[in-house]
């Protein structure tokens, strides 16, 4: 008896161990629900699949690629989303977007999930596809197909064309400009003509004219008035004779000018201007109105006495006129001699 009991225990032990390992295992489940159970032809609705299974299990749920059943088309399948729900269980969710173009009442086929050879099916859901209501008793309510709408004006669509036209216009203008410059034998880049430098006496006279217009001594600014006159003459002497009068005293300037100039009267004129200016600047003398006017007049006189005579080169037109005039005179004189 004892031996039989031991043999029975050895036989039943593997069965008991296999049952103990599968006590916590549950079968997989699949559920389905529909977003909208009634749609019009061409509208869309969504099916929601929910699969519940153990974490360690490998499950498989086959789905058709494009057609759920005759008359019901699959537009898209979402990526499965897995969520842990506790007790070593997970939930897998997936969306199926469907549509239909035939009016009917459809009983959608059940979905299934395969779990280690075991197959579980979901419940079936219904889908009603309706057409637009048409009043056949009123034929005037039927309308033809609408015309194609013209899209609204969007300037961004024309940017490439506008830019192309602008570039062509700029290119044409550039070509015309280059051709004109080359034909006229001018440089492509117009250079600003530099004004020829003024002669020393011209520059000095312009400065004296400015001083005259300012009317400084009439405003009580005697020092500024005589300082500007003497600075103008000293700068003129530097340009005209090369004497750095700006760095010299009055006596040094007069001595240097005496040796450089051959106009004695100009030396006396310059002496009057510089001497009176020294009294005004250093002794704070207030000259009479006639003395102020005399300094300005003597400044003009000094420049005219010492100005350099310019030799202007005759232009080509004047040379041609001169040559033409000589030829005419010669012919006239020859004709007279012949006569």
């Amino acid at each position: 008896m004892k031996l039989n009991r031991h043999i029975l225990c050895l036989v039943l032990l593997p069965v008991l161990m296999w049952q103990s390992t599968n006590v916590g295992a549950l079968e997989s489940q699949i559920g389905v629900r529909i977003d909208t159970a009634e749609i019009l032809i061409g509208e869309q609705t969504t099916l929601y699949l929910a699969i519940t299974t153990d974490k360690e299990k490998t499950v498989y749920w086959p789905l058709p690629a494009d057609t759920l059943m005759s008359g019901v088309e699959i537009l898209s399948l979402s990526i499965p989303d897995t969520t842990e729900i506790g007790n070593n269980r997970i939930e897998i969710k997936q969306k199926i977007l469907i549509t239909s173009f035939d009016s009917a009442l459809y009983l959608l086929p059940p979905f299934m999930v395969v779990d280690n050879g075991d197959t579980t099916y979901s419940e079936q859901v219904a889908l009603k596809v309706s057409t637009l209501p048409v009043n056949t008793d009123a034929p005037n309510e039927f309308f033809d197909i609408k015309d194609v709408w013209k899209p609204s004006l969007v300037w961004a669509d024309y940017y490439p064309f506008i830019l192309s036209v602008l570039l062509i216009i700029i290119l044409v203008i550039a070509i015309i400009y280059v051709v004109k410059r080359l034909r006229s034998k001018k440089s492509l880049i117009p250079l600003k003509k530099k004004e020829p430098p003024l002669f020393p006496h011209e520059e000095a006279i312009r400065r004296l004219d400015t001083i005259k217009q300012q009317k400084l001594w009439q405003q009580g600014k005697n020092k500024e008035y005589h300082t500007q006159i003497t600075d103008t003459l000293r700068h003129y002497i530097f340009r005209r004779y090369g004497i750095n009068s700006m760095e010299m005293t009055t006596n040094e300037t007069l001595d240097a000018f005496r040796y450089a100039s051959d106009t004695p009267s100009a030396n006396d004129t310059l002496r009057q201007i510089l001497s009176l200016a020294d009294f005004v600047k250093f002794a704070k003398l207030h000259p009479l109105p006639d003395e102020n006017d005399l300094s300005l007049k003597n400044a003009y006189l000094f420049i005219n006495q010492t100005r350099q005579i310019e030799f202007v080169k005759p232009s080509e037109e004047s040379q041609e006129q001169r040559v033409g005039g000589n030829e005419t005179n010669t012919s006239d004189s020859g004709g007279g001699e012949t006569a």
Side-chain angles (χ1 to χ4, degrees):
M1 289 294 296
K2 293 182 178 180
L3 180 60
N4 292 334
R5 290 178 181 177
H6 289 296
I7 293 173
L8 181 60
C9 290
L10 292 174
V11 172
L12 295 177
L13 181 61
V15 176
L16 295 175
M17 292 179 61
W18 179 83
Q19 290 181 351
S20 64
T21 56
N22 289 275
V23 170
L26 299 175
E27 65 179 7
S28 300
Q29 299 176 354
I30 182 170
V32 62
R33 67 180 181 88
I34 190 168
D35 188 12
T36 302
E38 184 175 358
I39 61 174
L40 295 175
I41 289 179
E43 289 185 344
Q44 302 171 2
T45 186
T46 304
L47 293 174
Y48 298 92
L49 295 182
I51 301 167
T52 305
T53 183
D54 293 336
K55 292 177 62 176
E56 295 80 5
K57 285 185 178 182
T58 300
V59 296
Y60 170 69
W61 60 101
L63 296 175
D66 53 2
T67 303
L68 190 61
M69 62 178 297
S70 178
V72 181
E73 299 180 7
I74 295 178
L75 299 179
S76 64
L77 295 172
S78 68
I79 299 175
D81 183 20
T82 303
T83 306
E84 293 188 11
I85 59 176
N87 296 328
N88 202 30
R89 301 278 286 178
I90 59 174
E91 184 181 38
I92 304 172
K93 295 181 179 180
Q94 191 171 14
K95 298 178 183 179
I96 304 174
L97 184 63
I98 61 174
T99 187
S100 177
F101 296 95
D102 295 326
S103 60
L105 179 60
Y106 298 95
L107 185 61
L108 303 181
F111 295 91
M112 65 179 180
V113 58
V114 180
D115 176 9
N116 294 330
D118 295 332
T119 303
T120 305
Y121 293 91
S122 68
E123 67 276 10
Q124 289 184 276
V125 294
L127 175 64
K128 182 179 180 181
V129 181
S130 304
T131 60
L132 293 174
V134 178
N135 187 5
T136 57
D137 297 332
N140 295 330
E141 294 183 359
F142 289 92
F143 300 97
D144 196 2
I145 299 175
K146 292 185 178 180
D147 295 333
V148 179
W149 289 2
K150 292 183 179 180
S152 59
L153 179 62
V154 180
W155 285 107
D157 297 337
Y158 299 92
Y159 283 167
F161 175 75
I162 296 173
L163 291 177
S164 300
V165 173
L166 291 177
L167 289 176
I168 292 174
I169 294 174
I170 294 173
L171 182 61
V172 171
I173 294 175
I175 293 174
I176 295 174
Y177 172 79
V178 171
V179 171
K180 286 187 176 181
R181 299 293 293 186
L182 293 178
R183 285 183 178 179
S184 59
K185 297 181 180 180
K186 297 179 180 180
S187 61
L188 297 180
I189 302 176
L191 301 177
K192 186 178 180 180
K193 294 182 179 180
K194 295 182 178 180
E195 295 183 0
L198 298 174
F199 290 103
H201 70 275
E202 292 177 340
E203 181 184 6
I205 290 175
R206 286 191 180 184
R207 290 188 176 186
L208 292 177
D209 291 340
T210 303
I211 297 171
K212 184 178 181 180
Q213 294 175 0
Q214 291 177 350
K215 297 182 179 181
L216 294 175
W217 70 265
Q218 290 87 339
Q219 304 173 19
K221 300 178 180 179
N222 293 319
K223 182 177 180 180
E224 291 83 349
Y225 174 74
H226 287 276
T227 299
Q228 290 189 21
I229 292 176
T230 55
D231 288 345
T232 300
L233 295 182
R234 290 177 184 273
H235 182 72
Y236 165 75
I237 292 171
F238 173 73
R239 290 195 61 195
R240 173 68 176 84
Y241 298 100
I243 300 173
N244 192 9
S245 178
M246 298 296 293
E247 304 296 332
M248 295 181 179
T249 62
T250 298
N251 292 331
E252 291 173 347
T253 300
L254 293 173
D255 293 339
F257 177 74
R258 187 183 302 110
Y259 290 107
S261 174
D262 55 356
T263 307
S265 59
N267 188 55
D268 296 335
T269 304
L270 180 62
R271 182 186 299 276
Q272 182 274 327
I273 299 171
L274 297 181
S275 299
L276 181 59
D278 288 342
F279 281 113
V280 174
K281 289 189 290 184
F282 302 111
K284 297 182 180 181
L285 175 68
H286 294 281
L288 298 175
D290 294 339
E291 293 176 328
N292 290 326
D293 287 336
L294 180 61
S295 293
L296 185 60
K297 291 179 181 179
N298 284 339
Y300 281 108
L301 177 62
F302 175 78
I303 294 172
N304 289 326
Q305 289 174 335
T306 58
R307 60 181 294 181
Q308 187 177 8
I309 301 175
E310 306 87 15
F311 296 94
V312 182
K313 183 180 179 180
S315 61
E316 295 180 358
E317 295 180 358
S318 61
Q319 289 180 353
E320 292 177 358
Q321 292 175 359
R322 184 176 301 175
V323 172
N326 292 337
E327 291 178 354
T328 304
N329 293 335
T330 303
S331 62
D332 293 342
S333 60
E337 292 174 357
T338 302

